[in-house]
Structure formats: structure tokens, C-alpha cells
Amino acid sequence: MKGDATVTCPPRKNPPAPPVPAGPTESEATAVRSPLLRTLLADVRAGRPDAEETFWRHAAATGTPLVEPDPEGDPDHRLVTFVRREDPAHPATHVLALVHTVTDKDRHAGDLAPHLMERVDGTGVWAISHRLRADHRASYQFHATDGTREDALRADRASWLRVLDHAEPDPLNDRAPLPSRDGRNPASVLELPEAPPQSRIRRRDDVDRGRTLDTEVDGRPVTVHLPPGHRPDGPYALAVLLDGEMWGPVLGVGDILDNLHADGDLPPTVAVLVDTMGRRMQDLACSAPFVDWLADTLLPWAEREYGAGADAARTVVAGQSAGGLTAAFAAFRRPDRFGLALSQSGSFWWPDDERGSEWLTGQYAWAERRPVTLHLEVGLQEWMLLQENRRLRNVLRARGYDVRYREFNGGHDYACWRGGLADGLAALLGEGRATSP
């Protein structure tokens, strides 16, 4: 395999015997980890004119990335090979495979080289392989460039944002893509066979539909999703979702809620999606004014308008990342209004400055225990959050809180969070709730 693009000539009808061995050399066999790619390389070297087209037909039929048995023989792992077909009209000199959180970890360390795809010699196949646990889930994209290797590997924040602005999904991935916002392209989703099922995330034709309304509360945009058959008098359970501008118009959380209702996993629940209005790091950093606004302005409004939010024991606040931090903070500060909190990949390292770090964990450790239930989840790939979430879990358990906790094999990724949101809401609001191990 070579790092630079090569010119692929059309196959000859009667090619002469190749002057090179029919199979890959020993060094190539080491570099090409995928058995499917080794077969392709051997066929190309043997001069088979349809070798590459046969490979792409197989990839299109099975879907990509290529998932093969673990080369080390571990049944709990798979060899996952991401492949991209060269576009002859726009040939690339370098291609990055952006696997959410897996690539980010090296980007934070300033080294994107491990994520450069290589071109299979004599073909238009760009490829890179990762050995991953069989329950891994992640969104991913490709970023092709025609510049220098140095430019392709720039890892500073400004360069990385430009990469994200232009990265593209995998056209041969047959799963529903993960939508994006701000003009960016959607991402493809890798789901290995043992990843937790996400049966509720896609729109289904066999369920009753709720109603989605866009409005404002005290000048702040909110989206409301009402359960099927909603009546103004209620009473209804209430789910307050932070980062509403993502969950509403981008991810279509209404479909998730409708599926939960149809399956009987959620009591009739009104969802209020709160827009952060470009104030995310002000509102979602343990902001007492913001949480008090939720408790004293938003919830009374939801009760008046939609019959939801009167009972703290049936009111959940949910968020991801800084939103997950704020969800746990809301339950701590205003347990009178928020009896339930769903935190996904909560940023419990906050604030990590002269005030120290893990402030909220310290508050839960020393303050009077609140009558609240918390559901925490975090990805095993989240190297900057995993230990902090485990420490908060341990503190909550030691203090006698009702806490449900799980770890998923993925990263800081809506591809994981959308399924986790459905599971978390069902666990907190559904019938027969049980404490997770």
C-alpha cells in the first residue's frame, strides 16, 4: 500500500503475465490486514481485469465498513476496515478516516497520522483497518485532500474545524446516516454486531404520531413534542431536553418519543426541547440562573399550557456533555422541580481551573442528600470523561442515591446518545423501574 495516489489504468482485455508475484509480498501482507483486501491485491497482481469491480460489488452488497473476524482470534473483537473509492474526477493525495472519538483522541495529542488511509497498490481503493471490540458504535466520515501530507495532518483547532466542515459520509454504508447541522454533511454510522440495539431511533410507520410545536418562552425558543392524544388538562410526565436545537430539527427526537409511547415503554410524556441560543457554555456550566429559569419559568409554563411538570417525581431533565453536567446540577439545585436527571457523557471534570475540578461531584459528596434519581451513562472511549463519571457514580452510591449507571463502547457521539436517550427516559419514567448495576 502507498500513501500517495497512483494513476489507475483501465484493464486490458488480454493482459500479459505480470512481472511480479501473483500474491502480495511479505511486507504487503503485513500492511494489508484485511483478508478481503489481500484477496483484492492478489487478484490485481494476478492481472485479473475485473478484480477491483468485483471488490466494489461485494462492498456494495454487504455494506461498509468491512467487518471481518479478529486476526488474533478473539471472538469479542472484529477487524473493521473503512474503504473509500477514489473519484477520478477529483483524485486525492491523502484521505483521513474520521472515526468519532477514536480519531479525536489522537487529534488532541497532535498526531493524525494513524488515521491516514492508504491506497491499495494498483487500485482506486483507499483503506484503513482498526481492531475494535465487537460492541463498538461510532459515527464516521472521510476527508479527502489534494494537498501535502503536512496540510492533511494539521491538528490545530482551526484546521480541525475546517476538516469537519468538509468531511463526507461513506456512500456504501447502508445504515441510516446521522444528521448534522450548520451546513455540515451527515455522518455514517458503524455498528458492530454486539452493539446495544437501538430499535427506537428510526421513524416507524406503524405508530401513532404526536404533535411537534415551535414556540418561545420568555424570549427563548423551545420545541414542544406532545404525546398522541394529548389533552391540555393532563397530568403528564415531563422531559426537559437540553440542546433542543439539536434534538428537535436535526435529530427528530419526536420519532423516538412516539416509538417509546407506542411500545409502552414511556407513560404519556410531554417533551420540551430548550434552545441554548448560542449561550451553551454560559447556560450549561452549572449555571444557577439558568437552572432557576428552568424551574421557575419553564416548568410552570409547561404545566399551564400542556398539563406537565407539576410532579417532580415525574419530571426528568436530560442532557449530553455539558448538558449532562447541567442535568445532574439541576437535580442537585432544584430537587423540588427535577426529581429525575439523565446525564449522558456528563462533563463532570468542570471547571478545572483555579477553583479546582469536579466541583459538582464534591457538592454531591458533602451536601445533604437530595430526593432524586439519576441515570448516568458514559462511553468507554471517552478518555477525558470516563473516570470522572465513575467517580460521581461512586459518590452517589456511597451517599445512598438511587443511581442507574452504564458504560457503552463508544464515544462523545450522538450516534450513541440517541439510543441512550431512549433507554434512559424509559428507565427513569417507565413502569417497573429497577436500579442498574
Side-chain angles (χ1 to χ4, degrees), residues 16 43 63 105 108 110 140 163 168 176 181 189 208 302 306 343 362 394 434:
D43 288 347
K105 185 174 183 179
H108 276 274
Y140 72 95
V163 167
E168 298 180 337
R181 55 176 293 194
V189 178
D208 292 333
Y306 305 110
S343 171
N394 293 343

Short mmCIF file of all heavy atoms in Angstrom, two decimals, residues 16 43 63 105 108 110 140 163 168 176 181 189 208 302 306 343 362 394 434:
data_model
loop_
_atom_site.label_atom_id
_atom_site.label_comp_id
_atom_site.label_asym_id
_atom_site.label_seq_id
_atom_site.Cartn_x
_atom_site.Cartn_y
_atom_site.Cartn_z
N PRO A 16 -0.79 -9.12 -20.34
CA PRO A 16 0.35 -10.04 -20.31
C PRO A 16 0.57 -10.55 -18.90
O PRO A 16 0.04 -10.01 -17.93
CB PRO A 16 1.52 -9.14 -20.76
CG PRO A 16 1.10 -7.76 -20.36
CD PRO A 16 -0.40 -7.73 -20.54
N ASP A 43 -5.48 -10.59 -6.57
CA ASP A 43 -6.15 -10.63 -7.87
C ASP A 43 -5.60 -9.56 -8.81
O ASP A 43 -5.45 -9.80 -10.01
CB ASP A 43 -7.65 -10.44 -7.69
CG ASP A 43 -8.33 -11.66 -7.08
OD1 ASP A 43 -7.68 -12.73 -7.02
OD2 ASP A 43 -9.49 -11.54 -6.63
N GLY A 63 -22.37 -3.80 2.39
CA GLY A 63 -22.30 -2.56 3.14
C GLY A 63 -20.94 -2.38 3.77
O GLY A 63 -20.20 -3.35 4.02
N LYS A 105 -9.06 11.38 19.80
CA LYS A 105 -8.06 11.17 20.84
C LYS A 105 -6.66 11.48 20.32
O LYS A 105 -5.87 12.17 20.97
CB LYS A 105 -8.14 9.73 21.35
CG LYS A 105 -7.20 9.45 22.52
CD LYS A 105 -7.45 8.06 23.07
CE LYS A 105 -6.57 7.80 24.30
NZ LYS A 105 -6.81 6.46 24.87
N HIS A 108 -6.26 15.29 19.59
CA HIS A 108 -5.92 16.04 20.79
C HIS A 108 -4.44 15.90 21.13
O HIS A 108 -3.84 16.82 21.69
CB HIS A 108 -6.78 15.57 21.97
CG HIS A 108 -8.12 16.22 22.03
ND1 HIS A 108 -8.34 17.44 22.64
CD2 HIS A 108 -9.33 15.83 21.53
CE1 HIS A 108 -9.61 17.77 22.52
NE2 HIS A 108 -10.23 16.82 21.86
N GLY A 110 -2.20 15.72 18.90
CA GLY A 110 -1.46 16.36 17.82
C GLY A 110 -0.94 15.42 16.77
O GLY A 110 -0.05 15.79 15.99
N TYR A 140 -18.81 8.17 11.65
CA TYR A 140 -17.53 8.38 10.97
C TYR A 140 -17.75 9.08 9.63
O TYR A 140 -18.85 9.06 9.07
CB TYR A 140 -16.78 7.06 10.77
CG TYR A 140 -17.37 6.12 9.74
CD1 TYR A 140 -16.91 6.11 8.43
CD2 TYR A 140 -18.39 5.24 10.07
CE1 TYR A 140 -17.44 5.24 7.47
CE2 TYR A 140 -18.93 4.37 9.14
CZ TYR A 140 -18.45 4.39 7.84
OH TYR A 140 -18.99 3.54 6.90
N VAL A 163 -11.68 20.69 8.59
CA VAL A 163 -11.86 19.28 8.21
C VAL A 163 -13.30 18.86 8.44
O VAL A 163 -13.95 18.26 7.57
CB VAL A 163 -10.89 18.38 9.01
CG1 VAL A 163 -11.28 16.91 8.87
CG2 VAL A 163 -9.46 18.58 8.53
N GLU A 168 -17.09 13.99 4.59
CA GLU A 168 -18.24 13.42 3.91
C GLU A 168 -18.55 12.02 4.45
O GLU A 168 -17.66 11.32 4.94
CB GLU A 168 -17.98 13.34 2.40
CG GLU A 168 -17.77 14.70 1.76
CD GLU A 168 -17.52 14.60 0.26
OE1 GLU A 168 -17.09 13.51 -0.18
OE2 GLU A 168 -17.75 15.60 -0.44
N ALA A 176 -28.90 4.11 8.17
CA ALA A 176 -29.37 5.49 8.12
C ALA A 176 -28.28 6.41 8.65
O ALA A 176 -27.69 6.15 9.71
CB ALA A 176 -30.64 5.64 8.95
N ARG A 181 -25.62 19.53 11.50
CA ARG A 181 -26.20 20.88 11.45
C ARG A 181 -25.13 21.85 10.98
O ARG A 181 -24.00 21.48 10.68
CB ARG A 181 -26.71 21.29 12.83
CG ARG A 181 -25.68 21.21 13.93
CD ARG A 181 -26.20 21.73 15.25
NE ARG A 181 -26.46 23.16 15.19
CZ ARG A 181 -26.65 23.93 16.27
NH1 ARG A 181 -26.64 23.39 17.48
NH2 ARG A 181 -26.87 25.21 16.15
N VAL A 189 -22.63 5.63 10.16
CA VAL A 189 -22.61 5.02 11.48
C VAL A 189 -22.08 3.59 11.39
O VAL A 189 -22.58 2.78 10.60
CB VAL A 189 -24.01 5.01 12.12
CG1 VAL A 189 -23.97 4.32 13.48
CG2 VAL A 189 -24.52 6.45 12.28
N ASP A 208 -48.69 5.71 16.32
CA ASP A 208 -49.42 6.97 16.35
C ASP A 208 -48.44 8.13 16.52
O ASP A 208 -47.46 8.02 17.27
CB ASP A 208 -50.43 6.98 17.50
CG ASP A 208 -51.56 5.98 17.28
OD1 ASP A 208 -51.87 5.68 16.11
OD2 ASP A 208 -52.12 5.51 18.29
N ALA A 302 -45.03 25.06 31.22
CA ALA A 302 -45.40 23.75 30.69
C ALA A 302 -46.63 23.18 31.40
O ALA A 302 -47.48 22.53 30.78
CB ALA A 302 -44.22 22.78 30.82
N TYR A 306 -49.66 22.72 28.96
CA TYR A 306 -49.71 21.33 28.50
C TYR A 306 -49.97 20.31 29.61
O TYR A 306 -49.95 19.10 29.36
CB TYR A 306 -48.41 20.97 27.76
CG TYR A 306 -48.12 21.92 26.63
CD1 TYR A 306 -47.06 22.82 26.71
CD2 TYR A 306 -48.93 21.94 25.49
CE1 TYR A 306 -46.80 23.70 25.67
CE2 TYR A 306 -48.68 22.82 24.46
CZ TYR A 306 -47.61 23.70 24.55
OH TYR A 306 -47.37 24.57 23.51
N SER A 343 -28.06 12.00 32.55
CA SER A 343 -26.79 12.59 32.13
C SER A 343 -26.07 11.62 31.21
O SER A 343 -25.75 10.50 31.60
CB SER A 343 -25.91 12.91 33.33
OG SER A 343 -24.61 13.31 32.91
N GLY A 362 -18.08 17.02 44.18
CA GLY A 362 -17.84 17.43 45.56
C GLY A 362 -19.11 17.89 46.25
O GLY A 362 -19.32 17.61 47.44
N ASN A 394 -19.64 6.58 42.07
CA ASN A 394 -19.23 6.03 43.36
C ASN A 394 -19.69 6.92 44.52
O ASN A 394 -20.13 6.43 45.57
CB ASN A 394 -17.71 5.86 43.40
CG ASN A 394 -17.22 4.81 42.43
OD1 ASN A 394 -18.01 3.98 41.95
ND2 ASN A 394 -15.94 4.83 42.13
N ALA A 434 -35.99 -0.30 37.68
CA ALA A 434 -35.08 -1.06 38.54
C ALA A 434 -33.72 -0.42 38.51
O ALA A 434 -33.27 0.08 37.49
CB ALA A 434 -34.99 -2.52 38.07
#
